[in-house]
Amino acid sequence: MAGKKILAVDDSRSIRASITFILGQEGYEVTEAVDGVDGLAKAKADKFNLVITDINMPNMDGIELTKALRATDGYKFTPIIALTTENQSDKMAEGKAAGATGWIVKPFDAPKLISVVKKIIG
């Protein structure tokens, strides 16, 4: 577990803080990004084992970020979890088509987030 790096992309400071806190307690190294543009820049500057992204964000949403990451060297097979208030099947299908690995609907609880992350990257 030590050394597994996660990129948390969300325009909500409180959501980023809770992801960082919850996963940090489990020994993951979490880097925060405020939107898709910021997330993409951070992803290109470093290598992450997992990306957790909100869908509805300013500047670049999570669907666009997912597509951009899938087109970026080193991220073709990196797990990407969409974390969002969207639970309509068409949004989920759009996320999956863009390359999202999984979906967590907000509000989420710590055990669910930890369980999903451990299942995906150990």
Side-chain angles (χ1 to χ4, degrees):
M1 193 140 49
K4 294 271 174 120
K5 293 163 78 167
I6 297 171
L7 179 61
V9 187
D10 200 303
D11 57 328
S12 162
R13 179 178 290 149
S14 61
I15 296 286
R16 289 194 313 271
S18 58
I19 292 170
T20 299
F21 178 77
I22 293 164
L23 296 178
Q25 297 238 290
E26 294 296 313
Y28 296 102
E29 187 183 320
V30 182
T31 298
E32 297 180 18
V34 299
D35 61 29
V37 174
D38 187 31
L40 187 58
K42 286 179 175 162
K44 287 180 175 178
D46 202 347
K47 179 67 182 123
F48 294 94
N49 302 98
L50 171 68
V51 177
I52 299 174
T53 182
D54 186 17
I55 294 297
N56 298 314
M57 296 181 290
N59 305 317
M60 179 191 286
D61 69 18
I63 304 278
E64 290 304 313
L65 173 61
T66 300
K67 289 177 183 169
L69 285 171
R70 289 293 181 229
T72 301
D73 282 349
Y75 286 95
K76 192 169 174 60
F77 302 109
T78 301
I80 299 172
I81 297 174
L83 181 69
T84 182
T85 53
E86 297 284 349
N87 62 0
Q88 297 97 340
S89 53
D90 59 331
K91 260 299 186 204
M92 289 184 187
E94 194 181 343
K96 202 148 199 62
T101 313
W103 204 271
I104 297 176
V105 177
K106 294 177 193 171
F108 61 91
D109 60 7
K112 170 140 175 85
L113 181 64
I114 292 163
S115 154
V116 169
V117 169
K118 284 186 172 172
K119 193 180 294 176
I120 294 175
I121 63 171

